[in-house]
Amino acid sequence: MHLKGREIAVVGGGIGGLTASIALARRGARVTVHERAPAFGEVGAGLQLSANVMRVLRALGVEQAVLARATQPGEVRLRDGLSGRVVARVPLGEFARARWGAPHAVIHRADLVVVLAEAAYKSFVPVMPSAQTMGMIGALALAANLVCFTLLY
C-alpha cells in the first residue's frame, strides 16, 4: 500500500510509535511523531526480541543497527524459583537463526529507542516536543471520545 503524499500524525515516540512512523514513511507518507517527553532517555529495562520481531526490524532496515547494540544469547534457561535448578532450556543462537530465519536478541529499551529514533530521523520523520504534543493529545482524545460517543449512542 502506497501512502505517498498523505500526512499522518503518530502520537507517542516510544518503540511502537517510532516503528509505525518508519514503516509509514517507507510507504511514502509524510509522518510527524508527537512525543510528550522533551527528550529520549533511559526509561525501561531489557527486552527480548524474538525472531518475529527481528524480521520486522530487518524489513525496516534496522536489524544490523539493533544487533550492534544487542546481545544474542545462546540459550534461555528456565529455573525453579526456590532451588535454582534448571528445569528447561530453550536453544537460541544459531538454532534460532536456522529454525526461524532470524536471531533472538536481548537489548535495553533505551538502546532500541535510539536505533528507531535514528532510523526515523533518516526517514525525515520529525519528532515534535512536549509542549506542542500535549495540546494535540488532548484534541485527539476529545475527538476520539466524541467519535466513540457518537458510535455508542
Side-chain angles (χ1 to χ4, degrees):
M1 171 192 293
H2 292 284
L3 301 172
K4 191 166 181 108
R6 293 210 178 165
E7 293 187 28
I8 298 175
V10 174
V11 179
I15 293 168
L18 289 170
T19 301
S21 72
I22 296 164
L24 291 165
R26 289 175 58 96
R27 296 281 190 223
R30 290 191 312 246
V31 182
T32 303
V33 174
H34 297 272
E35 171 54 46
R36 169 174 47 186
F40 295 115
E42 294 280 330
V43 177
L47 300 172
Q48 292 191 48
L49 306 176
S50 69
N52 290 342
V53 172
M54 294 305 298
R55 284 197 302 271
V56 169
L57 295 172
R58 181 183 299 156
L60 294 176
V62 297
E63 178 185 33
Q64 293 308 311
V66 168
L67 290 176
R69 292 175 173 264
T71 298
Q72 297 178 60
E75 68 179 4
V76 170
R77 294 180 194 148
L78 304 175
R79 297 181 178 270
D80 180 278
L82 296 176
S83 70
R85 180 179 59 87
V86 175
V87 294
R89 296 175 191 262
V90 179
L92 299 172
E94 288 306 314
F95 176 83
R97 285 181 187 272
R99 173 88 187 257
W100 297 296
H104 181 97
V106 179
I107 191 169
H108 190 280
R109 179 181 299 272
D111 289 330
L112 180 57
V113 168
V114 165
V115 170
L116 294 171
E118 288 172 354
Y121 176 78
K122 290 176 184 174
S123 297
F124 304 102
V125 174
V127 177
M128 305 303 288
S130 62
Q132 294 167 315
T133 302
M134 292 314 293
M136 179 175 193
I137 290 172
L140 288 172
L142 176 61
N145 286 334
L146 288 173
V147 169
C148 289
F149 180 80
T150 302
L151 291 175
L152 292 174
Y153 300 97

